[in-house]
Amino acid sequence: MTMLSKQLPMYLRCLSRDHSINLTHYILQVATWFADMWDTEYMQNEIFKNNFWNDWQKLLGKNHVIQNVKDCDFTPIYDWCQNEKDKKKQMSSAEKKALREEKMKQEEKYKWAIVDGVKEKVGNFRVEPPGLFRGRGKHPKTGHVKKRIGPNDVIINIGKDAPIPECPIPGASWKEIRHDNTCSWLAKWRDPTKAKSSKYVFLAASSSWNGQSDKEKYEKARMLKSYIGNIRAAYTKGFTSIDITKQQIAVATYFIDKLALRAGNEKDDEEADTVGCCTLKVENVMAEGHNKLKFDFLGKDSIKYENTVEVELPVYNAILKFQKDKCPGDALFDKLDTSILNAHLKELMPNLTAKVFRTFNASFTLDDKLNKETKDGDVAEKVVVYQHANKQVAIICNHQRSVSKSHSSQISKLSGKIDELQAVLKELKIDLDRARKGKPPLKCSGVKNQSNLNPEAIEKKIAQTSAKIEKMQRDMHTKEDLKTVALGTSKINYLDPRISVAWCKRNEVPIEKIFSKTLLEKFAWAMDVDPDFRF
DNA sequence: CGTTCGGACTCAGAAAAATATTG
DNA sequence: ACAATATTTTTCTGAGTCCGAAC
């Protein structure tokens, strides 16, 4: 707020030619959030702009001088924002360091919780700052103002005898102090963008509570291994069931098993229109002949799922039957929802739900690929094998990332360097030829110290250059290969860390080559696994 | 009973920050 | 060595899953 008062006159000048317009700090702040996004694609998004305008107009009031967002020139505020960012960037590294240390010092007291007498790290200890809501995909609420959360919004959950945390805003108080030991959250507040849901402060991923729950997740997925044969036999039988609900359950389970689809809960119209298995619409699956089904839909986070797969004939015929007499927009599995599906899965294995198949599929695939593809070689080669296996998993789970803005320029840069090196190599080969005949090297050659070059030295140089070229070509290929694939999501959420730790032990690969510092902490529970561990 | 609702937790890619590489 | 740039790691918060209670 102090910062804002300094900005006030600036904002006033920016927002209107009429300097007398009185805008409150909050109205200005909301305008700044909008202006700061002037150079983003959100400015082409009519829903975003309309939602912003509607909320902003409410703040301005009905009879405000500003009657149309189009009359406002936001570019001066945008310029001011850019300038502030530049100033931050231009700080010396010493200044940045001092600022960082000051921040660390202030935050230290919020970072820890004593749980059952053990000091545990807290995950997100800050409430989310206000701003303009940015949903993913075509979100109907994008652009709406997300309001500031204060102590009065926050429920604290602590032990009965624990001291109540000091309220950071003088005069204000917490909404409620609760003593519920049946759940793990430390604080929560209502999500300002979704009336029905809450935001939570949980322990960090490295906490023992989360570690235990992680381990249980993987143990359940491992249990599926011994049930999967029967489950597959059961759904194969179900493909031709005359009971249409049973038939739909069978085909849906097949998709979840074979394609690692998510369960697919119902969504309301206040959210982006995405689907999972149970909510697939008839147009999301196309029968293409020769038992091939083409899947095309937007899944979680509006990530496109596109995959053409050959299925068993009874599945193919069942899909044709489910689509019969339906229109686009109709549910493919009209007799199903996630609770029916999961209730059925629980009959096949204790506590089995749809998501377990994803964990099972991912971890099983990693274990399988690692053990089939690892060969003798140095650490670097083995890490490549791991990354390759990790990539197969990411593809199965459809974990994508957007291509970085500088990707193509980085590729052409690399390719340019390879061309240069190849030219050097060509000259070296000529020089080698000449050196063997006792002639001096060519002047234009990239070789320095030409006076004392013998054939052996040139040969060595050729070998070095060739190796360099090969490495760069491999790097370029990998970069292109992984430009849309996100490897991290599966590593964090789907791959039993014991597979990786045991593989590292067996192959003398340092675990640090696979897990970052935070992942090592998160997976502390898996580090003492036996080298023979198999998923 | 289903069906809806909301609570609590897991999982998601983008963006920011930190770190490594390069020229 | 050092600043610019590329890469990796961490943070952020939105978007799912699944459960159980209430209607």
Side-chain angles (χ1 to χ4, degrees), chain A residues 45-94:
Chain A
N45 182 338
E46 292 305 317
I47 298 168
F48 182 90
K49 289 193 286 187
N50 279 333
N51 285 340
F52 159 75
W53 168 240
N54 284 334
D55 284 2
W56 199 47
Q57 194 176 34
K58 274 181 215 146
L59 298 173
L60 292 170
K62 266 242 148 60
N63 302 317
H64 199 276
V65 193
I66 299 173
Q67 281 294 314
N68 194 331
V69 70
K70 290 185 182 101
D71 296 337
C72 298
D73 177 10
F74 288 92
T75 57
I77 308 184
Y78 167 77
D79 292 341
W80 181 86
C81 291
Q82 292 300 109
N83 191 255
E84 288 294 299
K85 283 176 199 165
D86 287 348
K87 269 199 249 169
K88 225 174 177 177
K89 237 191 243 169
Q90 251 133 56
M91 281 194 305
S92 72
S93 51

Coordinates of all heavy atoms in Angstrom, one line a residue, chain A residues 45-94:
Chain A
N45 N -7.9 -12.0 -25.8 CA -8.9 -12.9 -25.3 C -10.1 -12.0 -24.8 O -10.1 -11.3 -23.8 CB -8.3 -13.7 -24.1 CG -9.3 -14.7 -23.5 OD1 -10.5 -14.5 -23.6 ND2 -8.8 -15.6 -22.8
E46 N -11.2 -12.1 -25.6 CA -12.4 -11.2 -25.3 C -13.0 -11.5 -23.9 O -13.5 -10.7 -23.2 CB -13.4 -11.3 -26.4 CG -13.0 -10.8 -27.7 CD -12.5 -9.3 -27.7 OE1 -13.2 -8.5 -27.0 OE2 -11.5 -9.0 -28.3
I47 N -13.0 -12.8 -23.6 CA -13.6 -13.2 -22.3 C -12.8 -12.6 -21.1 O -13.3 -12.0 -20.2 CB -13.6 -14.8 -22.1 CG1 -14.5 -15.4 -23.2 CG2 -14.1 -15.2 -20.7 CD1 -14.4 -16.9 -23.4
F48 N -11.4 -12.7 -21.3 CA -10.5 -12.1 -20.3 C -10.8 -10.6 -20.1 O -11.0 -10.1 -19.0 CB -9.1 -12.3 -20.7 CG -8.1 -11.8 -19.7 CD1 -7.6 -12.6 -18.7 CD2 -7.6 -10.5 -19.8 CE1 -6.7 -12.2 -17.7 CE2 -6.7 -10.0 -18.8 CZ -6.2 -10.9 -17.8
K49 N -10.9 -9.9 -21.2 CA -11.1 -8.5 -21.2 C -12.4 -8.1 -20.6 O -12.6 -7.1 -19.9 CB -10.9 -7.9 -22.6 CG -9.4 -7.9 -23.0 CD -9.1 -7.1 -24.2 CE -9.6 -7.7 -25.5 NZ -9.2 -7.0 -26.7
N50 N -13.5 -8.9 -21.1 CA -14.8 -8.6 -20.6 C -14.9 -8.8 -19.1 O -15.5 -8.0 -18.4 CB -15.8 -9.4 -21.3 CG -16.2 -8.9 -22.6 OD1 -16.1 -7.7 -22.9 ND2 -16.6 -9.7 -23.6
N51 N -14.4 -9.9 -18.6 CA -14.5 -10.2 -17.2 C -13.7 -9.1 -16.3 O -14.2 -8.7 -15.3 CB -13.9 -11.6 -16.9 CG -14.8 -12.7 -17.3 OD1 -16.0 -12.5 -17.5 ND2 -14.3 -13.9 -17.5
F52 N -12.6 -8.7 -16.9 CA -11.8 -7.7 -16.2 C -12.7 -6.4 -16.1 O -12.9 -5.8 -15.1 CB -10.5 -7.4 -16.9 CG -10.0 -6.0 -16.6 CD1 -9.4 -5.7 -15.3 CD2 -10.1 -4.9 -17.5 CE1 -8.9 -4.5 -15.0 CE2 -9.6 -3.7 -17.2 CZ -9.1 -3.4 -15.9
W53 N -13.2 -6.0 -17.3 CA -14.0 -4.8 -17.4 C -15.2 -4.8 -16.4 O -15.5 -3.9 -15.7 CB -14.4 -4.5 -18.8 CG -15.4 -3.4 -19.0 CD1 -16.6 -3.5 -19.5 CD2 -15.3 -2.1 -18.6 NE1 -17.3 -2.4 -19.5 CE2 -16.5 -1.4 -18.9 CE3 -14.3 -1.3 -17.9 CZ2 -16.7 -0.1 -18.7 CZ3 -14.5 0.0 -17.7 CH2 -15.7 0.6 -18.0
N54 N -15.9 -5.9 -16.4 CA -17.1 -6.0 -15.6 C -16.7 -5.9 -14.1 O -17.4 -5.1 -13.4 CB -17.8 -7.4 -15.8 CG -18.5 -7.4 -17.1 OD1 -19.0 -6.4 -17.6 ND2 -18.7 -8.6 -17.6
D55 N -15.6 -6.5 -13.7 CA -15.2 -6.3 -12.3 C -14.7 -4.9 -12.0 O -15.0 -4.4 -10.9 CB -14.1 -7.4 -11.9 CG -14.7 -8.8 -11.7 OD1 -15.9 -8.9 -11.9 OD2 -13.9 -9.7 -11.4
W56 N -14.0 -4.4 -12.9 CA -13.4 -3.1 -12.7 C -14.5 -2.0 -12.7 O -14.5 -1.1 -11.9 CB -12.4 -2.8 -13.8 CG -11.4 -1.7 -13.5 CD1 -10.7 -1.5 -12.4 CD2 -11.1 -0.6 -14.3 NE1 -9.9 -0.4 -12.4 CE2 -10.1 0.2 -13.6 CE3 -11.4 -0.2 -15.6 CZ2 -9.5 1.3 -14.2 CZ3 -10.8 0.9 -16.2 CH2 -9.9 1.7 -15.4
Q57 N -15.5 -2.2 -13.6 CA -16.6 -1.3 -13.6 C -17.4 -1.2 -12.3 O -17.8 -0.2 -11.8 CB -17.6 -1.6 -14.8 CG -18.5 -0.5 -15.1 CD -19.4 -0.8 -16.3 OE1 -19.8 -2.0 -16.5 NE2 -19.7 0.2 -17.1
K58 N -17.5 -2.4 -11.7 CA -18.2 -2.5 -10.4 C -17.5 -1.6 -9.4 O -18.1 -1.0 -8.5 CB -18.2 -3.9 -9.9 CG -19.4 -4.7 -10.4 CD -19.4 -6.1 -9.9 CE -20.0 -7.1 -10.9 NZ -19.3 -8.4 -10.8
L59 N -16.1 -1.6 -9.5 CA -15.3 -0.8 -8.5 C -15.5 0.7 -8.8 O -15.6 1.5 -8.0 CB -13.9 -1.2 -8.6 CG -13.5 -2.6 -8.2 CD1 -12.1 -2.9 -8.5 CD2 -13.9 -2.9 -6.7
L60 N -15.5 1.0 -10.1 CA -15.6 2.4 -10.5 C -17.0 2.9 -10.2 O -17.1 4.1 -9.8 CB -15.5 2.5 -12.1 CG -14.1 2.2 -12.6 CD1 -14.2 2.1 -14.2 CD2 -13.1 3.2 -12.2
G61 N -18.0 2.1 -10.2 CA -19.4 2.6 -10.0 C -20.1 2.9 -11.3 O -19.4 3.3 -12.3
K62 N -21.4 2.8 -11.2 CA -22.2 3.0 -12.4 C -22.0 4.3 -13.1 O -22.0 4.4 -14.4 CB -23.7 2.8 -12.0 CG -24.2 1.4 -12.2 CD -25.4 1.4 -13.3 CE -25.4 0.1 -14.1 NZ -25.6 -1.1 -13.3
N63 N -21.9 5.4 -12.3 CA -21.9 6.7 -12.9 C -20.5 7.3 -13.1 O -20.4 8.5 -13.2 CB -22.8 7.7 -12.1 CG -24.2 7.2 -11.9 OD1 -24.8 6.7 -12.9 ND2 -24.7 7.2 -10.7
H64 N -19.6 6.4 -13.2 CA -18.2 6.9 -13.3 C -17.9 7.5 -14.6 O -18.6 7.2 -15.6 CB -17.2 5.7 -13.0 CG -15.9 6.2 -12.7 ND1 -14.9 6.6 -13.6 CD2 -15.3 6.4 -11.5 CE1 -13.8 6.9 -13.0 NE2 -14.0 6.8 -11.7
V65 N -17.0 8.5 -14.7 CA -16.6 9.1 -15.9 C -16.1 8.1 -16.9 O -16.4 8.2 -18.1 CB -15.4 10.1 -15.7 CG1 -15.3 11.0 -16.9 CG2 -15.7 10.9 -14.5
I66 N -15.4 7.1 -16.5 CA -15.0 6.0 -17.4 C -16.1 5.1 -17.6 O -16.6 4.4 -16.7 CB -13.8 5.2 -16.8 CG1 -12.6 6.2 -16.5 CG2 -13.4 4.1 -17.7 CD1 -11.4 5.5 -15.8
Q67 N -16.7 5.2 -18.8 CA -17.8 4.3 -19.1 C -17.4 3.2 -20.1 O -18.3 2.4 -20.4 CB -18.9 5.2 -19.7 CG -19.7 6.0 -18.7 CD -20.5 5.1 -17.8 OE1 -21.2 4.1 -18.2 NE2 -20.4 5.3 -16.4
N68 N -16.2 3.3 -20.6 CA -15.8 2.2 -21.5 C -14.3 2.0 -21.4 O -13.5 2.9 -21.4 CB -16.1 2.7 -23.0 CG -16.0 1.5 -23.9 OD1 -15.2 0.6 -23.7 ND2 -16.8 1.6 -25.0
V69 N -14.0 0.7 -21.2 CA -12.6 0.4 -21.0 C -11.7 0.8 -22.2 O -10.5 1.1 -22.1 CB -12.5 -1.1 -20.7 CG1 -12.8 -2.0 -22.0 CG2 -11.1 -1.5 -20.2
K70 N -12.4 0.9 -23.3 CA -11.6 1.3 -24.6 C -11.2 2.8 -24.5 O -10.3 3.1 -25.3 CB -12.5 1.0 -25.8 CG -12.7 -0.5 -26.0 CD -13.4 -0.8 -27.3 CE -13.6 -2.3 -27.5 NZ -15.0 -2.7 -27.2
D71 N -11.8 3.5 -23.7 CA -11.4 5.0 -23.6 C -10.1 5.1 -22.7 O -9.6 6.2 -22.7 CB -12.5 5.8 -22.9 CG -13.8 5.8 -23.8 OD1 -13.6 5.6 -25.0 OD2 -14.8 6.0 -23.3
C72 N -9.7 4.1 -22.1 CA -8.5 4.1 -21.2 C -7.3 3.7 -22.0 O -7.3 2.8 -22.7 CB -8.7 3.2 -20.0 SG -10.1 3.6 -19.0
D73 N -6.3 4.5 -21.7 CA -5.0 4.2 -22.3 C -4.1 3.5 -21.2 O -3.7 4.2 -20.3 CB -4.3 5.4 -22.8 CG -2.9 5.1 -23.4 OD1 -2.6 4.0 -23.5 OD2 -2.2 6.1 -23.7
F74 N -3.9 2.2 -21.3 CA -3.2 1.5 -20.3 C -1.7 1.5 -20.5 O -0.9 1.0 -19.7 CB -3.7 0.1 -20.1 CG -5.0 0.0 -19.5 CD1 -6.2 0.0 -20.3 CD2 -5.2 -0.1 -18.1 CE1 -7.4 -0.1 -19.7 CE2 -6.4 -0.2 -17.6 CZ -7.6 -0.2 -18.3
T75 N -1.2 2.0 -21.7 CA 0.2 1.8 -22.0 C 1.1 2.5 -21.1 O 2.2 2.0 -20.8 CB 0.5 2.2 -23.5 OG1 0.0 3.5 -23.7 CG2 -0.2 1.2 -24.4
P76 N 0.8 3.7 -20.6 CA 1.7 4.4 -19.6 C 1.9 3.5 -18.4 O 3.0 3.5 -17.8 CB 1.0 5.7 -19.3 CG 0.2 6.0 -20.5 CD -0.3 4.6 -20.9
I77 N 0.8 2.9 -17.9 CA 1.0 2.0 -16.7 C 1.9 0.8 -17.1 O 2.7 0.4 -16.3 CB -0.4 1.5 -16.2 CG1 -1.3 2.7 -15.9 CG2 -0.2 0.8 -14.9 CD1 -2.6 2.3 -15.3
Y78 N 1.6 0.3 -18.3 CA 2.4 -0.8 -18.7 C 3.9 -0.4 -18.8 O 4.8 -1.2 -18.2 CB 2.0 -1.3 -20.1 CG 2.9 -2.2 -20.8 CD1 3.0 -3.6 -20.5 CD2 3.8 -1.8 -21.8 CE1 3.9 -4.4 -21.1 CE2 4.7 -2.6 -22.4 CZ 4.7 -3.9 -22.0 OH 5.6 -4.8 -22.7
D79 N 4.2 0.7 -19.3 CA 5.6 1.2 -19.4 C 6.1 1.3 -18.0 O 7.3 1.0 -17.7 CB 5.6 2.6 -20.1 CG 5.3 2.4 -21.6 OD1 5.4 1.3 -22.1 OD2 4.9 3.5 -22.2
W80 N 5.3 1.9 -17.1 CA 5.8 2.0 -15.7 C 6.1 0.6 -15.1 O 7.2 0.5 -14.4 CB 4.7 2.7 -14.9 CG 5.1 2.9 -13.4 CD1 5.8 4.0 -12.9 CD2 4.8 2.0 -12.3 NE1 6.0 3.8 -11.6 CE2 5.4 2.6 -11.2 CE3 4.2 0.8 -12.2 CZ2 5.3 2.1 -9.9 CZ3 4.1 0.2 -10.9 CH2 4.7 0.9 -9.8
C81 N 5.3 -0.4 -15.3 CA 5.5 -1.7 -14.8 C 6.9 -2.3 -15.4 O 7.6 -2.9 -14.7 CB 4.4 -2.7 -15.2 SG 2.8 -2.4 -14.4
Q82 N 7.0 -2.1 -16.7 CA 8.3 -2.5 -17.3 C 9.5 -1.9 -16.7 O 10.5 -2.5 -16.4 CB 8.2 -2.2 -18.8 CG 7.2 -3.0 -19.6 CD 7.4 -4.5 -19.5 OE1 6.6 -5.2 -18.9 NE2 8.5 -5.0 -20.2
N83 N 9.3 -0.6 -16.5 CA 10.4 0.2 -15.9 C 10.8 -0.4 -14.5 O 11.9 -0.5 -14.1 CB 10.0 1.7 -15.8 CG 11.2 2.5 -15.4 OD1 11.3 3.0 -14.3 ND2 12.1 2.7 -16.4
E84 N 9.7 -0.7 -13.7 CA 10.0 -1.2 -12.4 C 10.7 -2.6 -12.5 O 11.6 -2.8 -11.7 CB 8.6 -1.5 -11.6 CG 8.0 -0.2 -11.2 CD 8.7 0.6 -10.1 OE1 8.9 0.0 -9.0 OE2 9.1 1.7 -10.4
K85 N 10.3 -3.4 -13.4 CA 11.0 -4.7 -13.6 C 12.5 -4.5 -14.0 O 13.3 -5.2 -13.6 CB 10.3 -5.5 -14.7 CG 9.0 -6.1 -14.2 CD 8.3 -6.8 -15.4 CE 6.8 -7.1 -15.0 NZ 6.0 -7.4 -16.2
D86 N 12.7 -3.5 -14.9 CA 14.1 -3.2 -15.4 C 14.9 -2.8 -14.2 O 16.1 -3.2 -14.0 CB 14.1 -2.1 -16.4 CG 13.6 -2.6 -17.8 OD1 13.4 -3.8 -17.9 OD2 13.3 -1.8 -18.7
K87 N 14.3 -1.9 -13.3 CA 15.1 -1.4 -12.2 C 15.5 -2.6 -11.3 O 16.6 -2.7 -10.8 CB 14.2 -0.5 -11.3 CG 14.3 1.0 -11.7 CD 13.7 1.8 -10.6 CE 12.4 2.5 -11.0 NZ 11.7 3.1 -9.9
K88 N 14.6 -3.5 -11.1 CA 14.9 -4.7 -10.3 C 16.0 -5.5 -11.0 O 16.9 -6.0 -10.3 CB 13.6 -5.6 -10.2 CG 13.3 -6.1 -8.9 CD 12.0 -6.8 -8.9 CE 11.6 -7.4 -7.5 NZ 10.3 -8.1 -7.5
K89 N 15.9 -5.7 -12.3 CA 16.9 -6.4 -13.0 C 18.3 -5.8 -12.9 O 19.3 -6.5 -12.8 CB 16.5 -6.5 -14.5 CG 16.4 -7.9 -15.0 CD 16.2 -7.9 -16.5 CE 14.9 -8.4 -17.0 NZ 14.6 -8.2 -18.4
Q90 N 18.3 -4.5 -12.9 CA 19.6 -3.8 -12.9 C 20.3 -3.7 -11.6 O 21.4 -3.2 -11.5 CB 19.4 -2.4 -13.6 CG 20.0 -2.3 -15.0 CD 19.1 -1.7 -16.0 OE1 18.6 -0.6 -15.8 NE2 18.8 -2.4 -17.0
M91 N 19.6 -4.1 -10.5 CA 20.3 -4.1 -9.2 C 21.5 -5.0 -9.3 O 21.6 -6.0 -10.0 CB 19.3 -4.7 -8.2 CG 18.3 -3.7 -7.7 SD 17.5 -4.3 -6.2 CE 16.9 -5.9 -6.7
S92 N 22.5 -4.5 -8.5 CA 23.8 -5.3 -8.5 C 23.5 -6.6 -7.8 O 22.6 -6.7 -7.0 CB 24.9 -4.5 -7.7 OG 24.5 -4.5 -6.4
S93 N 24.4 -7.6 -8.0 CA 24.2 -8.9 -7.5 C 24.3 -8.8 -5.9 O 23.7 -9.6 -5.2 CB 25.2 -9.9 -8.0 OG 26.5 -9.4 -7.9
A94 N 25.1 -7.9 -5.4 CA 25.2 -7.7 -4.0 C 23.8 -7.2 -3.4 O 23.4 -7.8 -2.4 CB 26.3 -6.7 -3.6

